[in-house]
Amino acid sequence: MPTVHRSVVYDWLRHDKKFPHVWCPGCGLGILLGSLVRALAEGGYDKNQVVLVSGIGCSGRLPVYVDVGSVHTTHGRALTFATGIKLAKPALKVIVVMGDGDATAIGGNHLIHAARRNLDLTAIIVNNLTYGMTGGQYSPTTPLGAKATTAPYGHSEPSFDISALTVTAGASFVARSTVYHVTQLDQMLGQAIKKKGFGVVEVLSPCHTNYGRQNRLGSQLEMMKGYKKQAVRMERWDKLSPAEREGRFAVGVLADREYPTFLETYQGAVERALAARREG
Amino acid sequence: MSAGKAAKKRGKPKSEHSFYPAWCKRCGNCVAFCPRGILVADEWGYPRQQNPERCTACGLCEMLCPDFAITVGYEKPGAMDMTQAAGGESKDFETPKPGSSGSSSISPERLAPAPREEK
């Protein structure tokens, strides 16, 4: 049994906002919202301790519904705003919710540099393989050959692997899950928020309205059943041959390591500067 | 161990479902992913509990509901009985007047069927 009851979600919602929320019926963002709130409550965080930052897109609406400090920023710059908030008030827990276009296209530069700097942030990247809000244009994570509004005969570029990208860029914690694996998602969000350093959770979420319709994937039910079929646990993924990995993806914790965070290394530089001033 | 035996071992789980029709978008997640198959869609697509005694109170329908429209094992104000069909004859939903509900922890939409005080 979970220590925190599921009913905690209702205590963290902003009830003066219009409910039901703006997302399409069956959208994974609602599931992620509940999961995030449960992870925060499980971690014992206070509402005043937490800041949610988001960019533009469907995922940008997420912090609006949670009763914590929230910033809805410009497209792709959610991580830059979050960096400023964290440096100004290091005691706050800053959580950034971005979409795949937000994180890897317009904010791709900020993502790799935030991971390299290893600032104590948590980035939740909702990957629906398309630009859902603007009508289903292809994004950097759209798979090769998939159809999109701007690629009606199939996409001609290979896609980004967000998790592999952030592992290479130097993030402390990288995990991937889907909204279908909701209990696992609760745990991973909790781990990522607790982790000191840059935590990335890539959440695969169905966009049946745009991506699913154009690629004939059916409703969100079929897409979520597809996640169930395609997702392979990390331990099993390592044993699979390249042929078996075709069309599947690994879920689980991809990287969990101890790197010095930006605040620690910066504090070291401050101390060295003060010591140099005292001597000189 | 079967689910029934497991439930007997740890005592009967609290499996009362509450449902907020005003929040439901009829996406069908709860009906499709109920491991016991006890949730069925009515003619409008709203979920209904068919065999409440078979429920193990796993809470998957609640966690997979993107709209927080269904709860298992506890009741929140404004919910309606799951064993009846949604949009049933007895309860008609009036739109609450803006600013009429005093509590800030409950959405006016959830309070629509039967306004009650929380705590």
Side-chain angles (χ1 to χ4, degrees), chain A residues 5-7 9-11 13 15 18-21 23 25-27 30-31 33-34 38 179-180 182-183 186 220-221 224-225, chain B residues 20 22-23 25 27-29 32-33 58-60 62-64 66-68 70-72 74 76 104-110:
Chain A
H5 204 269
R6 296 185 301 265
S7 65
V9 174
Y10 294 96
D11 302 332
L13 294 182
H15 289 277
K18 282 271 177 224
F19 275 96
H21 48 57
W23 299 311
C27 179
I31 304 172
L33 171 55
R38 282 191 298 273
V179 291
Y180 174 78
V182 61
T183 43
D186 282 16
Q220 98 278 3
L221 299 174
M224 278 168 73
K225 281 170 191 163
Chain B
Y20 314 111
W23 282 26
K25 288 179 189 160
C27 68
N29 274 4
F33 295 114
C58 67
L60 198 63
E62 184 181 336
M63 290 200 278
L64 282 176
D67 296 282
F68 317 110
I70 186 165
T71 63
V72 187
Y74 59 94
K76 297 293 268 186
S104 62
S105 67
I106 308 163
S107 294
E109 298 92 351
R110 282 218 339 262

Side-chain angles (χ1 to χ4, degrees), chain A residues 109-182:
Chain A
N109 185 16
H110 303 302
L111 179 72
I112 54 173
H113 288 289
R116 174 180 64 88
R117 219 174 266 146
N118 207 20
L119 198 65
D120 194 4
L121 301 172
T122 307
I124 300 167
I125 301 172
V126 188
N127 188 357
N128 59 5
L129 310 178
T130 190
Y131 282 100
M133 187 177 253
T134 51
Q137 292 84 1
Y138 65 75
S139 83
T141 51
T142 306
L144 188 66
K147 283 181 183 148
T149 309
T150 43
Y153 302 106
H155 191 32
S156 48
E157 301 165 15
S159 64
F160 256 143
D161 183 342
I162 297 174
S163 299
L165 178 74
T166 44
V167 167
T168 315
S172 276
F173 182 88
V174 180
R176 191 198 279 126
S177 188
T178 78
V179 291
Y180 174 78
H181 304 85
V182 61

Side-chain angles (χ1 to χ4, degrees), chain A residues 118 171-175 188-189 191-192 195 197-201 253 255-257:
Chain A
N118 207 20
S172 276
F173 182 88
V174 180
M188 281 179 186
L189 291 175
Q191 274 177 288
K195 183 81 186 172
F198 194 66
V200 179
V201 184
V253 178
D256 190 355
R257 45 205 180 176

Side-chain angles (χ1 to χ4, degrees), chain A:
Chain A
M1 280 300 283
T3 50
V4 170
H5 204 269
R6 296 185 301 265
S7 65
V8 79
V9 174
Y10 294 96
D11 302 332
W12 285 62
L13 294 182
R14 255 182 208 155
H15 289 277
D16 54 342
K17 298 287 165 195
K18 282 271 177 224
F19 275 96
H21 48 57
V22 294
W23 299 311
C24 305
C27 179
L29 282 163
I31 304 172
L32 172 68
L33 171 55
S35 201
L36 177 62
V37 168
R38 282 191 298 273
L40 284 170
E42 187 106 24
Y45 299 105
D46 190 66
K47 282 185 194 175
N48 298 324
Q49 261 184 290
V50 181
V51 179
L52 277 176
V53 187
S54 72
I56 298 295
C58 296
S59 60
R61 288 293 294 178
L62 198 144
V64 176
Y65 295 111
V66 191
D67 190 16
V68 297
S70 56
V71 195
H72 189 174
T73 70
T74 49
H75 200 2
R77 312 294 178 245
L79 273 169
T80 62
F81 282 82
T83 304
I85 293 165
K86 185 70 190 179
L87 290 180
K89 297 245 181 217
L92 292 175
K93 271 278 161 203
V94 185
I95 299 164
V96 191
V97 184
M98 294 176 288
D100 54 319
D102 212 19
T104 56
I106 298 98
N109 185 16
H110 303 302
L111 179 72
I112 54 173
H113 288 289
R116 174 180 64 88
R117 219 174 266 146
N118 207 20
L119 198 65
D120 194 4
L121 301 172
T122 307
I124 300 167
I125 301 172
V126 188
N127 188 357
N128 59 5
L129 310 178
T130 190
Y131 282 100
M133 187 177 253
T134 51
Q137 292 84 1
Y138 65 75
S139 83
T141 51
T142 306
L144 188 66
K147 283 181 183 148
T149 309
T150 43
Y153 302 106
H155 191 32
S156 48
E157 301 165 15
S159 64
F160 256 143
D161 183 342
I162 297 174
S163 299
L165 178 74
T166 44
V167 167
T168 315
S172 276
F173 182 88
V174 180
R176 191 198 279 126
S177 188
T178 78
V179 291
Y180 174 78
H181 304 85
V182 61
T183 43
Q184 188 196 34
L185 184 60
D186 282 16
Q187 290 168 12
M188 281 179 186
L189 291 175
Q191 274 177 288
I193 293 165
K194 208 171 154 193
K195 183 81 186 172
K196 200 157 64 76
F198 194 66
V200 179
V201 184
E202 182 188 353
V203 185
L204 287 156
S205 168
C207 181
H208 50 290
T209 309
N210 279 313
Y211 186 79
R213 180 171 52 81
Q214 294 188 44
N215 290 288
R216 305 251 187 274
L217 295 174
S219 70
Q220 98 278 3
L221 299 174
E222 276 78 45
M223 291 181 82
M224 278 168 73
K225 281 170 191 163
Y227 287 154
K228 185 185 178 184
K229 225 176 270 172
Q230 292 159 7
V232 182
R233 288 171 68 95
M234 211 53 221
E235 302 87 62
R236 240 190 88 205
W237 177 259
D238 295 332
K239 291 175 195 139
L240 290 184
S241 67
E244 286 173 315
R245 288 184 186 184
E246 198 60 44
R248 311 179 95 179
F249 55 86
V251 292
V253 178
L254 280 86
D256 190 355
R257 45 205 180 176
E258 299 294 333
Y259 284 163
T261 67
F262 179 70
L263 285 172
E264 288 166 3
T265 49
Y266 190 71
Q267 193 59 38
V270 167
E271 276 158 18
R272 283 195 296 281
L274 287 174
R277 184 189 280 182
R278 275 196 297 273
E279 284 164 18

Side-chain angles (χ1 to χ4, degrees), chain B residues 53-108:
Chain B
E53 66 282 354
R54 292 191 66 228
C55 178
T56 57
C58 67
L60 198 63
C61 52
E62 184 181 336
M63 290 200 278
L64 282 176
C65 178
D67 296 282
F68 317 110
I70 186 165
T71 63
V72 187
Y74 59 94
E75 198 190 345
K76 297 293 268 186
M80 66 172 283
D81 190 5
M82 276 291 289
T83 45
Q84 293 178 12
E89 64 292 325
S90 60
K91 289 181 181 172
D92 50 338
F93 304 113
E94 291 171 31
T95 318
K97 293 185 184 76
S100 61
S101 80
S103 171
S104 62
S105 67
I106 308 163
S107 294

